Amino acid sequence: MRDDLPVWRSMLFVPVTAEKFVRTGADRGADAIILDLEDSVAPSQKAHARTLIAGAIPQVARNGADVVVRVNRPWRLLVRDLEAAVIPGVAALMLTKVDSPEHVHACGEIVTELEAERGLPAGGLKFIVLVETTAGFFRIEQIAKAHPRVVGLSLGTEDFSADAGMQAEPEGLFYPKQQTVFAARAAGILPMGFIGSIADFRDQEAFRAIVRRSRRFGFMCASAVHPLQVSVLNEEFAPIAAEVERAERMIAAYDQAHAAGLGAVQFEGAMIDVPVVERARSVVRRAAALRRRSGG
């Protein structure tokens, strides 16, 4: 995967118009806060919402969370959102209802102009692309590779399911969600989300089971619509100590055998080869990146 990717486990949606949530969002422990201009903001409040971004940034970022802004899709709204959101303190934009690589290119061109005009670092603002339609799904590989600014890819469960005429259930979502992982991995970016619906947050154990299973299928982080989901995402998308320790032992055993010129390597009763060891190295890298993020 690319070296410039953010280190995220959880991203909490906060309606930028909800003063209480903006004030308390930083205390929930999320790695990123998504200031929402889209679904959680009424059409009559869109213009007002844009004026609130700059004031919200220091509040939601005060404990170290990265700031993401979710923008609207209709182009007239989107251009205004970009004008408001390309400012200091915003780490990434979440582009919604992306259905083609051309959509990403156009956003990239606008953001590049705004960065230059405003004296911001060129290419500093990253993109998370959210595919939410069946038309976009069949271009998901091209969308994932569309622009160097893209660091994460997600399939919008509820919108995609509605567009496909199906229920947002794991059985129906398995194929499109797994394809999302493959497209993200092929592009070297973060596979984001989980195989299930984000809407029901009350059953914490059921949600934990969904996230744990999704991590096994390759997802690395996800967004939360309620603070109760944040701790589950943080725990389940991070390797536990025993997992890291085992990975370190495996790497040491493999490296020692490789240095001795051995072709076959045994580790704790099993044969291991390069792909297995590379998976262990990714676990160790992930743990180290999370420690650096937390200042550990």
Side-chain angles (χ1 to χ4, degrees), residues 67-215:
V67 179
V68 177
V69 177
R70 181 166 75 164
V71 296
N72 290 277
R73 169 58 204 261
W75 277 103
R76 291 177 65 189
L77 291 178
L78 173 54
V79 172
R80 294 170 189 154
D81 289 349
L82 296 178
E83 290 273 359
V86 181
I87 57 176
V90 176
L93 300 174
M94 179 175 280
L95 306 181
T96 58
K97 297 178 176 60
V98 176
D99 55 15
S100 70
E102 289 78 16
H103 176 97
V104 183
H105 285 303
C107 291
E109 183 176 337
I110 295 170
V111 171
T112 297
E113 291 177 2
L114 291 169
E115 285 177 337
E117 289 174 4
R118 297 172 182 183
L120 298 173
L125 198 63
K126 304 305 181 184
F127 290 165
I128 300 163
V129 289
L130 189 57
V131 174
E132 301 179 84
T133 65
T134 50
F137 174 72
F138 284 106
R139 304 183 187 106
I140 199 165
E141 183 179 356
Q142 292 76 29
I143 290 170
K145 297 177 179 179
H147 201 282
R149 292 184 187 272
V150 178
V151 295
L153 174 69
S154 182
L155 187 78
T157 298
E158 301 298 334
D159 285 281
F160 177 81
S161 298
D163 193 53
M166 68 182 193
Q167 296 296 313
E169 297 173 343
E171 292 82 1
L173 288 167
F174 178 80
Y175 158 61
K177 287 282 188 173
Q178 192 70 345
Q179 286 292 98
T180 302
V181 172
F182 296 157
R185 295 285 181 173
I189 62 176
L190 294 174
M192 304 173 66
F194 44 79
I195 306 173
S197 173
I198 195 174
D200 188 3
F201 57 83
R202 293 172 182 83
D203 190 337
Q204 289 291 85
E205 289 312 305
F207 181 66
R208 184 180 296 277
I210 288 171
V211 176
R212 184 171 295 177
R213 177 173 181 258
S214 299
R215 184 192 168 203

Side-chain angles (χ1 to χ4, degrees), residues 11-25:
M11 310 176 75
L12 177 62
F13 277 107
V14 172
V16 73
T17 52
E19 189 274 335
K20 176 185 175 182
F21 296 148
V22 171
R23 188 177 67 252
T24 61

Side-chain angles (χ1 to χ4, degrees), residues 6-14 25-26 28-35 60-61 63-69 91-92 94 128 192 221-224 230 233-234 293:
V7 181
W8 292 331
R9 299 160 297 174
S10 60
M11 310 176 75
L12 177 62
F13 277 107
V14 172
R28 307 304 188 179
D31 294 328
I33 299 292
I34 304 170
L35 295 175
V60 299
N63 290 330
D66 294 324
V67 179
V68 177
V69 177
M94 179 175 280
I128 300 163
M192 304 173 66
C221 61
S223 54
V230 170
L233 295 175
N234 285 347
R293 179 181 179 89

